[in-house]
Amino acid sequence: MRTAIIHDWLVTYAGAERVLEQMLYIFPDADIYSTVDYIPQGQRGFLLDKPVQTTFIQRFPFAEKKYRSYLPLMPLAIEQLDLSGYDLVISSSHAVAKGVLTGPDQMHICLCYSPIRYAWDLQHQYLKESGLDKGLKGWLAKAILHYMRLWDSRTANGVDCFIAISDFIARRIWKTYRRDAAVIYPPVDVDTFNFYETKEDYFLTASRMVPYKRMDLIVEAFKSMPDKRLVVIGDGPEFDKVAAKAGENVVIMGYQPTEVLKEYMQKARAFIFAAEEDFGITPLEAQACGTPVIAYGKGGVSETIIGLDGENPTGIFFPEQSVSAIVDAVDLFELEKERIRPGACRNNAMRFAPNVFRQKFSEFVDQYI
């Protein structure tokens, strides 16, 4: 059986690419397609060093850095890929990959990280953060996103089976496409995060500093709790804004290598997370270290952290993205911390190990081939 895997774009090794890597372990003979491929030699191990067939966008000026600027052309580009010779087509999609054309005798399974976020329920937030909520450019952006929604809805009909990365995304798929989706949680490389039971006297937050991560709220909350120490790891466009809100008890470390992040994560009293994520890998990495998580209780993390109302809790949820809610959650953690055991955190994280993903994904595909 000939198999093709189509991925939106290949420019880095991040969460979606880790899923693609596990797919290739299951289907090592699969051919890979993508709109663009700019993964350098020497970093292509997760692709099994296989060649990638790309679209005409690969040859466009400045596409290596500005590939997202060609988003309006990506539906056309993805439809030009000829996958008619394959029995099984797997799309790894958060944007356009699921729009590849397939025939009635081909099985098309889409692992959907999310319907196109910036075209659907997050459109207004995206436009505002990009400065495209008004003016001529704003109207042009809105027209393009309207076109993307029409195309995205139509191409959902070409998918035989949807897989969502969380119940949260399954609900978004139903809302957007009116299609049911099985849920298979993505793989987290938990074995590379060492379990550490002895904790030191600081809290940790770590993320790329972009608006929706709400790192500013976390820093501001700890500024109002001068008796508690916070370590902040990460960089990004909001770095200066976040740093300006830090008090003397907040240490802003900026970008740090992975090994440094792991060391701080292992020894932190708790990891603080204020974003609404589709899944949320970092809170699971913290739990793999035996570190509890204090998180905004919406989105995928509500499925990957066990709250105080569950058996063997691994963290605490706060109900809204606000300074006061974070402060209240930290206070509650101080009262209930003895109930949250490092071993329970580690055991919970192991449910998301790569071998679990491979087993469940293989079993799902086997139902249809």
Side-chain angles (χ1 to χ4, degrees):
M1 184 179 64
R2 294 196 65 199
T3 301
I5 300 177
I6 171 76
H7 194 71
D8 286 308
W9 44 73
L10 288 164
V11 295
T12 188
Y13 180 58
E17 289 70 38
R18 294 173 191 273
V19 176
L20 174 61
E21 179 180 25
Q22 298 302 319
M23 289 180 180
L24 290 171
Y25 287 146
I26 301 169
F27 300 100
D29 295 327
D31 293 329
I32 309 173
Y33 292 80
S34 181
T35 53
V36 296
D37 173 21
Y38 293 112
I39 303 297
Q41 294 298 325
Q43 298 179 27
R44 303 182 66 84
F46 75 95
L47 297 171
L48 308 186
D49 292 315
K50 294 165 69 77
V52 176
Q53 299 186 55
T54 58
T55 68
F56 58 77
I57 294 176
Q58 180 82 18
R59 301 185 295 275
F60 278 11
F62 313 112
E64 183 170 1
K65 299 293 185 184
K66 300 290 186 180
Y67 63 94
R68 290 179 185 270
S69 299
Y70 294 113
L71 181 66
L73 294 175
M74 286 187 182
L76 175 63
I78 215 77
E79 291 175 350
Q80 305 314 304
L81 295 174
D82 183 4
L83 273 65
S84 58
Y86 295 95
D87 305 295
L88 173 64
V89 174
I90 300 171
S91 54
S92 169
S93 182
H94 59 77
V96 298
K98 77 166 183 40
V100 69
L101 301 179
T102 55
D105 296 323
Q106 294 176 283
M107 174 58 60
H108 180 184
I109 296 174
C110 174
L111 193 151
C112 183
Y113 306 98
S114 175
I116 308 175
R117 300 174 187 87
Y118 33 85
W120 291 100
D121 53 318
L122 298 184
Q123 173 189 275
H124 301 293
Q125 177 183 328
Y126 164 76
L127 291 173
K128 185 175 181 180
E129 291 175 357
S130 303
L132 295 173
D133 54 334
K134 58 186 69 174
L136 184 59
K137 286 185 177 181
W139 282 109
L140 178 60
K142 292 171 186 175
I144 290 171
L145 292 176
H146 176 71
Y147 153 70
M148 293 295 295
R149 281 191 293 276
L150 295 175
W151 178 84
D152 195 37
S153 295
R154 180 189 65 76
T155 56
N157 295 322
V159 176
D160 295 294
C161 307
F162 275 100
I163 299 172
I165 62 168
S166 64
D167 289 324
F168 177 64
I169 293 303
R171 294 195 299 274
R172 187 178 279 170
I173 289 171
W174 173 255
K175 184 76 172 183
T176 305
Y177 305 139
R178 284 297 188 259
R179 295 286 302 276
D180 289 322
V183 175
I184 300 177
Y185 293 115
V188 180
D189 199 5
V190 290
D191 285 333
T192 65
F193 289 80
N194 295 328
F195 177 68
Y196 203 87
E197 195 161 6
T198 303
K199 303 301 180 181
E200 297 183 3
D201 191 20
Y202 65 88
F203 294 82
L204 173 70
T205 187
S207 175
R208 178 162 168 75
M209 294 187 186
V210 291
Y212 86 95
K213 294 288 189 178
R214 304 316 311 265
M215 298 284 276
D216 57 325
L217 291 181
I218 298 173
V219 169
E220 194 172 345
F222 274 83
K223 185 178 181 179
S224 70
M225 299 182 286
D227 58 322
K228 295 177 175 61
R229 183 168 173 247
L230 176 70
V231 174
V232 181
I233 294 178
D235 201 354
E238 291 227 315
F239 181 87
D240 291 340
K241 175 184 176 181
V242 171
K245 295 191 174 186
E248 293 183 359
N249 61 320
V250 177
V251 179
I252 309 288
M253 296 185 65
Y255 169 80
Q256 296 296 320
T258 302
E259 291 307 313
V260 174
L261 171 62
K262 288 180 179 179
E263 183 178 352
Y264 276 91
M265 194 174 276
Q266 289 163 5
K267 299 177 182 179
R269 295 181 64 196
F271 183 82
I272 316 294
F273 192 77
E276 180 183 338
E277 289 279 16
D278 301 333
F279 176 65
I281 290 177
T282 313
L284 275 168
E285 293 172 339
Q287 290 176 79
C289 297
T291 300
V293 181
I294 301 171
Y296 176 46
K298 193 173 179 183
V301 295
S302 65
E303 304 167 43
T304 60
I305 299 167
I306 302 172
L308 291 175
D309 57 346
E311 188 176 353
N312 297 318
T314 66
I316 288 173
F317 296 115
F318 50 91
E320 62 181 31
Q321 292 171 309
S322 70
V323 170
S324 61
I326 296 172
V327 171
D328 290 345
V330 173
D331 289 342
L332 180 60
F333 173 77
E334 297 288 19
L335 291 172
E336 302 285 354
K337 61 190 176 194
E338 298 303 323
R339 292 180 54 196
I340 305 174
R341 295 176 291 104
C345 295
R346 176 72 177 186
N347 290 338
N348 183 54
M350 296 306 293
R351 297 191 294 124
F352 302 89
N355 64 301
V356 176
F357 171 83
R358 291 196 300 270
Q359 178 184 344
K360 292 187 175 182
F361 191 83
S362 296
E363 290 172 351
F364 182 89
V365 174
D366 285 345
Q367 297 177 60
Y368 299 98
I369 59 175

